[in-house]
Amino acid sequence: MAATERGWWLYELLRFFYSLFFPGLIVCGILCLCLILILWGIRVLLQRKKNSASTGKKGKDQMVIAFFHPYCSAGGGGERVLWCALRALQKKYPTAVYVVYTGDVNISSQQILEGAFRRFNIRLTHPVRFVFLRKRYLVEDSLYPYFTLLGQSLGSIFLGWEALMQCVPDIYIDSMGYAFTLPLFKYLGGCRVGSYVHYPTISTDMLSVVKNQNARFNNATFITRNPFLSKVKLIYYYLFAFLYGLVGSCSDIVMVNSSWTLNHILSLWKVGHCTNIVYPPCDVHTFLDIPLEEKKMTPGHLLVSVGQFRPEKNHPLQIRAFAKLLNMRKTESLPSLKLVLIGGCRNQDDEFRVNQLRRLCEDLGVQEDVEFKINIPFDELKNYLSKGTIGLHTMWNEHFGIGVVECMAAGTIILAHNSGGPKLDIVIPYEGEVTGFLAESEEGYAETMAHILSMSEEKRLQIRNNARASVSRFSDQEFEVTFLSSMEKLFK
């Protein structure tokens, strides 16, 4: 009896759900239709706004080319790409209107341009309109202590919406890695969209780090020690990688900065037909007037690091390896050594990291031997590189490494991390000769630094000559040619 009653209730429940199926389907269809109509209406309004904004003073339509770069005054390698790209486009398309979406609301347009000139020695020939975004905090990693990748990506959609509401361009270039803005500008804004990818938001290497439960700056120790949390994070990463590939595939053209980035973007975005390597512009010619003969700091050797103070740059490894080198050389009567860390600070988080690095120096007892140079002008950077014996780089899987190229062009002997762009594209043999060195661990860095310092001046000079000759392929001129060639599709 009880079994019959249960069967009857199950039958009635199924009938109830079945009765809701077709009405539910109709409601879903109506909601989808309403959503499509709303999005179509928004697109029409944006198109009208674009048409009215693109009409110049003489009544002629002017093409509007916009770059999405919320941290355009940060002073890193990504910003050098932005300014060189603008300069190249202005030379070829001088009548276009150029726009930069930025979140640097605390400084003026003129200060941004002057900063680009001081840091990169780049001055644009035509005006640039800056669209200042108030919601940049939505892409700050500090806002998302957990699910940071997803939080920043969703935040970039809202930031992109703010940008789109202020200016609807004809051509939209994401030059800072916010791929989730691409569908917004392409399908709602009706723009032709392109990407310059410095570093994939997620990569197969990141997936392997979580899968193998390795601790990194983006994989906390408490997660690596818990198999369940590691599996949950791995699922989250796979789902995010799928979404990242979906939005990235919206791009009409894709430019990547290295072989390492190319491999990851091809596996995630699957847009090989419109993807090209465009090596970032490195101002190698500016460093050619630095003599390659042994540069003396009176007395001793200068070790120089160039890179923004971000967690992935792994400055603590440089300091620990330097401290180990000093301990290795205590027993020897050798010239003094000094480490100079040169980089840009974008915000309070970066400043906090610099203070942590200062404390690390104090803990290791090397505070007198380490100097920090923050947001310094280009001439001062060049001066330090001209005096340096060794250039240090410690980022795991650096996408490219403009700082590495600058060090090699200036004549410092580079010691870079044995991964990513430095390994695949930069610190490679030139005509069969050594151009620099690679390392991974504290011990490896310390031992290689000691090896370089123990070389004869003639041997170091030979390596400097090889390195400088090898980096000519990363010049501003080469960048302009490859960048403009890749961009041509967006102008057709």
Side-chain angles (χ1 to χ4, degrees):
M1 184 72 179
T4 305
E5 197 169 307
R6 280 198 300 272
W8 181 80
W9 277 108
L10 180 62
Y11 171 74
E12 289 297 318
L13 188 65
L14 289 172
R15 278 190 63 187
F16 173 71
F17 282 122
Y18 181 75
S19 67
L20 292 178
F21 176 75
F22 288 107
L25 199 63
I26 293 169
V27 169
C28 288
I30 292 171
L31 289 175
C32 288
L33 183 62
C34 290
L35 180 61
I36 291 169
L37 289 173
I38 290 170
L39 293 176
W40 177 80
I42 292 172
R43 180 183 169 98
V44 170
L45 289 173
L46 290 174
Q47 289 302 301
R48 288 177 181 173
K49 185 176 181 180
K50 178 171 73 171
N51 293 335
S52 61
S54 63
T55 304
K57 293 181 179 178
K58 296 181 180 179
K60 296 180 180 179
D61 287 345
Q62 290 181 293
M63 179 173 288
V64 179
I65 303 170
F67 286 80
F68 190 78
H69 209 103
Y71 296 91
C72 72
S73 66
E79 287 65 60
R80 181 169 179 76
V81 169
L82 169 68
W83 301 118
C84 286
L86 278 166
R87 183 175 62 184
L89 288 170
Q90 286 185 347
K91 287 179 184 176
K92 187 168 184 180
Y93 307 101
T95 59
V97 175
Y98 294 91
V99 174
V100 175
Y101 300 113
T102 177
D104 297 309
V105 295
N106 297 321
I107 55 177
S108 67
S109 301
Q110 189 59 35
Q111 287 174 314
I112 293 174
L113 293 171
E114 288 299 325
F117 178 71
R118 285 197 311 272
R119 174 62 182 90
F120 304 117
N121 199 30
I122 295 173
R123 197 177 290 282
L124 300 178
T125 55
H126 297 281
V128 172
R129 177 191 167 197
F130 291 93
V131 173
F132 291 96
L133 308 176
R134 301 284 173 181
K135 294 182 175 62
R136 190 176 71 179
Y137 64 89
L138 292 174
V139 296
E140 296 278 354
D141 56 0
S142 58
L143 191 63
Y144 312 100
Y146 304 104
F147 300 100
T148 308
L149 295 180
L150 182 61
Q152 287 182 294
S153 297
L154 294 177
S156 72
I157 297 175
F158 289 98
L159 189 64
W161 177 256
E162 182 188 359
L164 191 58
M165 287 297 99
Q166 293 193 56
C167 175
V168 184
D170 296 288
I171 294 176
Y172 170 80
I173 304 295
D174 166 37
S175 54
M176 208 174 172
Y178 293 105
F180 281 71
T181 63
L182 295 170
L184 190 67
F185 278 82
K186 182 170 185 175
Y187 297 116
L188 286 185
C191 311
R192 286 157 279 172
V193 299
S195 304
Y196 188 97
V197 184
H198 299 274
Y199 195 86
T201 305
I202 192 167
S203 66
T204 52
D205 290 331
M206 291 169 67
L207 293 170
S208 66
V209 164
V210 177
K211 190 174 184 179
N212 298 328
Q213 296 179 250
N214 297 327
R216 298 279 186 188
F217 76 91
N218 57 357
N219 194 35
T221 306
F222 77 91
I223 292 179
T224 62
R225 291 175 178 172
N226 189 312
F228 174 74
L229 290 179
S230 291
K231 284 184 172 57
V232 170
K233 185 169 184 177
L234 189 61
I235 293 170
Y236 157 58
Y237 267 20
Y238 274 117
L239 290 174
F240 182 82
F242 171 75
L243 291 175
Y244 182 62
L246 205 61
V247 296
S249 64
C250 296
S251 194
D252 296 310
I253 63 156
V254 181
M255 293 168 278
V256 297
N257 63 347
S258 68
S259 301
W260 183 87
T261 307
L262 175 68
N263 294 334
H264 288 284
I265 288 298
L266 290 179
S267 67
L268 292 165
W269 291 12
K270 305 186 189 308
V271 284
H273 62 284
C274 61
T275 304
N276 299 296
I277 294 180
V278 178
Y279 288 125
C282 306
D283 195 9
V284 294
H285 292 287
T286 302
F287 299 99
L288 297 183
D289 61 344
I290 299 175
L292 289 178
E293 287 71 26
E294 192 71 34
K295 294 155 283 189
K296 289 292 182 183
M297 187 182 73
T298 311
H301 292 280
L302 190 68
L303 286 70
V304 182
S305 165
V306 180
Q308 286 182 309
F309 290 104
R310 304 202 306 262
E312 62 268 24
K313 296 296 184 180
N314 202 0
H315 288 94
L317 175 56
Q318 297 178 9
I319 295 170
R320 292 193 181 97
F322 179 67
K324 196 176 287 290
L325 173 66
L326 292 179
N327 290 331
M328 289 168 58
R329 296 169 70 85
K330 271 182 181 178
T331 56
E332 305 175 36
S333 179
L334 292 169
S336 62
L337 301 174
K338 184 171 284 291
L339 172 63
V340 179
L341 302 175
I342 303 172
C345 280
R346 304 165 297 172
N347 48 39
Q348 290 183 338
D349 291 337
D350 289 352
E351 291 170 4
F352 176 72
R353 274 186 280 273
V354 171
N355 290 330
Q356 285 184 312
L357 293 173
R358 293 186 196 274
R359 283 195 290 272
L360 176 61
C361 292
E362 292 172 1
D363 293 341
L364 296 173
V366 297
Q367 65 273 21
E368 298 299 323
D369 304 300
V370 179
E371 290 183 15
F372 292 85
K373 299 295 177 181
I374 301 167
N375 297 330
I376 63 174
F378 181 79
D379 287 341
E380 193 174 348
L381 165 68
K382 184 177 176 181
N383 182 52
Y384 276 107
L385 289 178
S386 71
K387 297 176 181 176
T389 301
I390 297 175
L392 277 182
H393 164 275
T394 47
M395 179 177 169
W396 173 70
N397 273 340
E398 171 80 272
H399 42 287
F400 180 71
I402 288 181
V404 174
V405 174
E406 289 179 340
C407 286
M408 294 169 71
T412 61
I413 296 180
I414 193 67
L415 173 54
H417 198 278
N418 189 26
S419 62
K423 178 183 180 180
L424 297 176
D425 293 311
I426 306 174
V427 190
I428 57 177
Y430 176 72
E431 295 183 353
E433 299 294 333
V434 174
T435 59
F437 299 89
L438 301 168
E440 294 182 43
S441 63
E442 286 179 32
E443 294 76 13
Y445 273 94
E447 290 171 2
T448 308
M449 283 189 283
H451 171 65
I452 294 170
L453 295 172
S454 67
M455 288 179 175
S456 65
E457 291 186 15
E458 292 75 18
K459 180 61 177 176
R460 285 199 290 261
L461 178 60
Q462 182 184 351
I463 295 174
R464 289 191 185 100
N465 280 314
N466 296 335
R468 178 173 282 183
S470 73
V471 296
S472 60
R473 65 192 189 279
F474 305 126
S475 67
D476 287 1
Q477 292 74 20
E478 287 293 323
F479 169 80
E480 288 189 7
V481 171
T482 53
F483 175 77
L484 292 173
S485 174
S486 297
M487 286 286 292
E488 279 181 1
K489 182 181 177 181
L490 297 182
F491 289 87
K492 293 178 179 177

